[in-house]
């Protein structure tokens, strides 16, 4: 799965280009930088590779989500519908904008259930934010239809599904805006970084300024830029962008390895009666960074997890239901509205209300779900060996 596994000469070369000039900032210093513009180059590669009209790099995926929301005009009191299974960054970004995260059930796609989304719409709903978890996608057609009917914004959190597609289009380029994360464990990495992609020029122009203190980037130099609106510093550095530039050139290779390893592993697991797989709305678009499978019951799933632990092969197999980071069940800080600074009264109420929400449908899915992370460094022999061991553990645990 993560690009850091295949870090090497190419990354060092790109970073060295920046170290030669010492210009670590992405804007300005036109003379001393001697034509080295790694951030601009990476943005242009992202547009080309993913078919997005515009791309704005940021300092993280969280910053990308925050920037996208600002540029789309999502703020105080607006409700953003998002799934109960995601990474904490999705609701952190919503809260930081003064908006209200409305967490709803997932379905067997492991992403937003369109029915749950419909049921959660209120006059305050402004945006639907599908999160394409673990390398595969939400039912974007159904969600787009809901957005059209209710005049809502579609913002894709594609941070975990770089290289995935839906009906031929790259995930993250289908909604009004979409984001990737390039943090250290994502499919391609900058060390830290992220990007906002959009096909709307105004969303891009706003994102560009918002990530750099509101600078319009139209002056003859930085000092002459105007500030048409407030912004923050969510800039990426040239060193980080340089790493990403080397990584994006390897993406197709990463995806080919993921697909091969994923399919071999699957061929072992699918022989076990009672095991089923995650629903992928467009199977051709899976990025294959994870193989996600279901067992017949929570009890059997826990038994399998115990058996994997005992065999010493639990690493890389994620039981999200019991995980502190990805599922609402363990987000006590969120459900207790534990903020260092005062949240608005309506934000606090929405968070406390989560304690009483019913996530039975999601619990039912997540309690039987295991995701296996697909490594880029496994040899073919190793994948077969892993598959065979997993097969034996499953056969024993389920008999
Ligand atoms: C990683 C991730 C993010 C945020 O990325 P950072 O770059 O770590 O801030 C957002 N959403 C999801 C689903 C992620 O997995």
């Amino acid at each position: 799965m993560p690009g850091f596994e295949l870090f090497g000469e190419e990354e060092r070369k790109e970073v060295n280009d920046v170290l030669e000039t010492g210009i670590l900032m992405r804007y300005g210093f036109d003379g001393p930088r001697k034509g080295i513009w790694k951030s601009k180059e990476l943005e242009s590669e992202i547009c080309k590779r993913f078919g997005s009209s515009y791309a704005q790099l940021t300092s993280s995926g969280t910053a990308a989500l925050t920037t996208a929301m600002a540029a789309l005009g999502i703020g105080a009191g607006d409700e953003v519908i998002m799934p109960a299974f995601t990474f904490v960054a999705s609701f952190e970004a919503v809260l930081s904008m003064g908006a209200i995260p409305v967490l709803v059930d997932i379905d067997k796609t492991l992403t937003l259930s369109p029915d749950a989304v419909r049921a959660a719409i209120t006059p305050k709903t402004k945006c639907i934010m599908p999160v394409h978890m673990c390398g595969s996608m939400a039912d974007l057609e159904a969600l787009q239809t809901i957005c059209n009917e209710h005049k809502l914004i579609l913002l894709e959190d594609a941070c975990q599904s770089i290289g995935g597609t839906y009906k031929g289009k790259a995930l993250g380029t289908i909604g009004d805006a979409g984001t990737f994360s390039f943090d250290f464990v994502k499919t391609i990495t900058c060390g830290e970084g992220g990007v906002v992609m959009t096909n709307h020029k105004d969303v891009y122009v706003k994102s560009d300024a918002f990530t750099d203190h509101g600078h319009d980037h139209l002056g003859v130099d930085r000092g002459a830029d105007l500030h048409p609106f407030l912004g923050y510093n969510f800039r990426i550095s040239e060193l980080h962008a340089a790493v990403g530039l080397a990584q994006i050139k390897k993406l197709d290779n990463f995806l080919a390895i993921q697909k091969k390893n994923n399919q071999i592993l699957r061929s072992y697991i699918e022989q076990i009666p009672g095991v089923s797989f995650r629903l992928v709305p467009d199977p051709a678009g899976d990025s294959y960074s994870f193989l996600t499978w279901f067992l017949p019951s929570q009890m059997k799933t826990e038994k399998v997890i115990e058996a994997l632990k005992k065999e010493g092969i639990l690493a890389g197999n994620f039981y999200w239901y019991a995980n502190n980071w990805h599922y609402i069940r363990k987000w006590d800080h969120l459900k207790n509205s534990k903020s260092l600074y005062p949240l608005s009264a309506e934000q606090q109420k929405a968070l406390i209300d989560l304690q009483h929400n019913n996530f039975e449908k999601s619990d039912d899915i997540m309690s039987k779900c295991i995701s296996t992370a697909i490594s880029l460094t496994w040899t073919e022999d190793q994948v077969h060996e892993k598959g065979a061991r997993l097969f034996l553990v499953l056969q024993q645990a389920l008999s």
Side-chain angles (χ1 to χ4, degrees), residues 42 59 71 75 101 113 156 173-175 186 230 242 246 253 263 303 335:
L42 179 53
S59 50
S113 149
E156 297 174 79
T173 68
I174 296 161
K186 295 305 203 279
L230 296 168
N253 182 37
Q263 287 179 334
K303 203 169 155 197
K335 292 183 279 187

Side-chain angles (χ1 to χ4, degrees), residues 60-62 65 86-87 89-90 131 133 157 159-160 181 183 186 193:
S60 71
T62 313
L65 282 170
T86 178
F87 178 58
S90 315
V131 184
M133 285 299 277
D157 179 343
C159 290
Q160 284 199 14
S181 161
D183 80 20
K186 295 305 203 279

Side-chain angles (χ1 to χ4, degrees), residues 293-308 319 366-370 398:
W293 36 293
F294 302 109
L295 290 150
S297 69
Q298 178 174 348
M299 227 174 68
K300 289 194 167 155
T301 312
E302 284 168 359
K303 203 169 155 197
V304 166
I305 290 292
E306 275 313 305
L308 291 172
Y319 186 37
M366 296 310 296
S367 63
K368 299 183 224 166
C369 170
I370 297 177
L398 296 180

Side-chain angles (χ1 to χ4, degrees), residues 229-258:
F229 45 76
L230 296 168
Y232 283 100
N233 176 4
F234 289 146
R235 292 188 305 258
I236 195 165
S237 84
E238 285 285 278
L239 291 172
H240 292 89
V243 174
L245 197 52
Q247 288 258 305
I248 196 172
K249 292 172 186 165
K250 300 177 176 182
L251 176 62
D252 288 328
N253 182 37
F254 292 174
L255 293 172
I257 297 172
Q258 282 177 180

Side-chain angles (χ1 to χ4, degrees), residues 23-30 33 37 39-40 43 56-57 207-209 211-212 215 217 222 235-236 238:
I23 306 302
L24 311 187
M25 175 151 172
R26 68 159 300 176
Y27 296 113
F29 304 93
D30 295 23
R33 71 191 313 134
W37 299 89
S39 306
K40 278 186 200 293
E43 284 167 348
Q56 176 64 42
L57 286 169
S207 297
D208 171 65
T211 52
D212 187 22
H215 275 270
H217 298 137
R222 278 182 76 70
R235 292 188 305 258
I236 195 165
E238 285 285 278

Side-chain angles (χ1 to χ4, degrees), residues 24-163:
L24 311 187
M25 175 151 172
R26 68 159 300 176
Y27 296 113
F29 304 93
D30 295 23
R33 71 191 313 134
K34 301 192 175 122
I36 305 285
W37 299 89
K38 297 297 180 189
S39 306
K40 278 186 200 293
E41 220 184 307
L42 179 53
E43 284 167 348
S44 132
E45 288 296 320
I46 289 170
C47 289
K48 259 196 290 184
R49 174 60 181 78
F50 299 103
S52 176
S53 304
Y54 305 99
Q56 176 64 42
L57 286 169
T58 57
S59 50
S60 71
T62 313
L65 282 170
T66 309
T67 299
M69 278 187 271
L72 291 163
I74 298 162
D78 291 332
E79 291 180 354
V80 178
I81 298 178
M82 49 171 280
F85 173 53
T86 178
F87 178 58
V88 293
S90 315
F91 59 73
E92 288 168 353
V94 172
L95 288 169
S96 74
M97 288 286 95
I100 298 168
V102 176
L103 282 80
V104 306
D105 272 323
I106 54 153
D107 58 22
K108 281 199 145 190
T109 63
L110 289 201
T111 63
L112 277 181
S113 149
D115 290 339
V117 169
R118 272 187 198 281
I121 291 174
T122 75
K124 286 204 243 166
T125 307
K126 181 98 168 232
C127 173
I128 297 178
M129 182 162 80
V131 184
H132 305 303
M133 285 299 277
C134 306
S136 171
M137 83 279 330
D139 183 348
L140 282 171
E141 199 172 271
L143 296 173
Q144 185 74 72
T145 302
I146 299 174
C147 285
N148 294 345
E149 274 172 29
H150 295 268
K151 300 210 168 16
L152 302 174
I153 292 163
L154 184 66
L155 170 59
E156 297 174 79
D157 179 343
C159 290
Q160 284 199 14
S161 52
I162 300 173

